[in-house]
Each structure stands twice: as structure tokens, then as C-alpha cells.
Amino acid sequence: MTKSLLSVAILIWIHSVSALAAVPTQAMTFVTNVSTVGTTSSQEAKIQSAENKIKDVIASEAFRTAVLNHTYNGKKTFVDNGGLTNAQIYQKILHGAETLQPRKNNAMDLIVKLYYEASSTVGYTMTNSKVINMNTKFFNKYTASGVSSNMMHEWLHKLGFKHAVTYSKSRDYTVPYAIGRIMGKLAIKY
Ligand SMILES: [Zn+2]
């Protein structure tokens, strides 16, 4: 090997090592434990595909960067962040300690229940329940990436993050809305 080839090889090696080092191990080992209620086999397949996308996105450098660099009004922060920095929010996601299942098990623990309602509600969840409810009026039209975005939004409520009930521009910058959107955008790539 010539000297220049060797240095190129070393540069590539350094580059790959630093890229690996940027994403914490917990991002790569993150899993989903999702059980379902009221699903048909095709709805089940869509949820499974959404789960795979969630795992791939959380393992990605793009997700880490998007969460850490999220800004609101020119500051690196989220609205309704519960007093947490972007880095702490990212870490909280990787821990996967839901309010009702507080063990740090590095997993998204969820029960997805499908229901139908002729309303504009895409989904909802209650603080005292492990269930997230998804309206089939929307669910059936969504791609798996759209479902992954929706599941992420609702699961962030399970981690304790909140947002205003009525719409305001700042609501888009809350943890469930902003990170749900990041998930939907990156999920398309997987
Ligand atoms: Zn919400």
C-alpha cells in the first residue's frame, strides 16, 4: 500500500469511528414493545412496519442531531420541555422510562388500540393509561411513516411530555409535536 492510500484508509477509519461514537449505544439497542387491540392483519402489518421505522430512526445520527439541535425562538430548546435540555430529552427517549412503567428498559412500551370516530381527532391518550388510541379514519389512510410519527407523538406523552390542548404556533415546538414530526420525516428514509 502506498503512503497516500494508507492515509486515506486511516482517514476513512477515523471518520467511521467518530460517526459511530456520536450515536450512543442505547440508540442502537433501543427496541419497541407494542401490543395491539382491535387490529386486522393489515393494520397489524402497518404497525409492525412503523415499529421497525421507529427503531431505525432512533438508531440514526440524523435523529440524534435533529433532537439536540431543535430550536424555538432562536434557542436550542423545546416548548413545554419539563425543565429538560435537548440532550436530557434525547436521553429520556433512550431510557424509555414511561411514567406508568418507570424502569429504564431502553424501549418504547405501548399498547395501541384502534377505534373509529367521525371526528378530526387522529389519536389520544390518557395520563393514567398505557394505551394510545388511534382513530382508523386517519390510521387507515396513513403510511407506515405517518403511523410512526403518530406513535412517537403519543408515546412522548407516556414519557410525561405535554402540550396545550388548543392550537397555537408554539405548540408545534413542544416535545410530542416536534419530535413526532422529526420521526415522520426521517421514517420515510427507512
Ligand atoms: Zn398530543
Side-chain angles (χ1 to χ4, degrees), residues 25-132:
T25 306
Q26 280 192 315
M28 288 180 280
T29 55
F30 189 88
V31 291
T32 54
N33 299 324
V34 178
S35 51
T36 54
V37 182
T39 48
T40 65
S41 59
S42 71
Q43 290 167 335
E44 191 70 39
K46 200 187 270 189
I47 290 170
Q48 185 61 60
S49 168
E51 285 184 63
N52 290 336
K53 283 169 179 282
I54 288 167
K55 279 183 277 187
D56 287 340
V57 169
I58 289 185
S60 73
E61 171 60 16
F63 179 74
R64 189 188 78 95
T65 307
V67 174
L68 295 185
N69 294 331
H70 179 268
T71 58
Y72 174 65
N73 275 352
K75 278 188 189 167
K76 280 193 183 180
T77 189
F78 287 88
V79 172
D80 294 336
N81 54 28
L84 300 180
T85 64
N86 291 5
Q88 288 168 329
I89 290 167
Y90 178 67
Q91 192 54 58
K92 199 172 162 80
I93 290 168
L94 300 187
H95 282 155
E98 295 84 5
T99 310
L100 298 176
Q101 290 152 281
R103 196 167 65 84
K104 291 177 180 171
N105 65 347
N106 197 208
M108 170 186 277
D109 298 306
L110 266 190
I111 303 169
V112 175
K113 188 176 178 180
L114 296 185
Y115 71 103
Y116 175 78
E117 187 180 78
S119 74
S120 61
T121 302
V122 175
Y124 68 94
T125 188
M126 305 292 202
T127 313
N128 60 0
S129 168
K130 295 173 185 173
V131 174
I132 66 162

Side-chain angles (χ1 to χ4, degrees), residues 15-25 28 61 64:
H15 181 78
S16 60
V17 166
S18 61
L20 280 175
V23 179
T25 306
M28 288 180 280
E61 171 60 16
R64 189 188 78 95

Side-chain angles (χ1 to χ4, degrees), residues 136-187:
T136 54
K137 182 186 163 191
F138 297 94
F139 178 92
N140 290 347
K141 283 190 291 194
Y142 283 174
T143 61
S145 296
V147 170
S148 72
S149 169
N150 203 212
M151 282 169 67
M152 192 68 187
H153 176 113
E154 300 300 337
W155 180 66
L156 288 162
H157 285 308
K158 300 290 113 199
L159 292 187
F161 294 105
K162 296 178 167 68
H163 59 72
V165 175
T166 51
Y167 178 77
S168 66
K169 211 179 164 202
S170 68
R171 195 177 76 167
D172 287 341
Y173 298 87
T174 61
V175 176
Y177 275 101
I179 300 183
R181 219 167 36 241
I182 289 168
M183 175 58 68
K185 211 169 112 187
L186 295 177

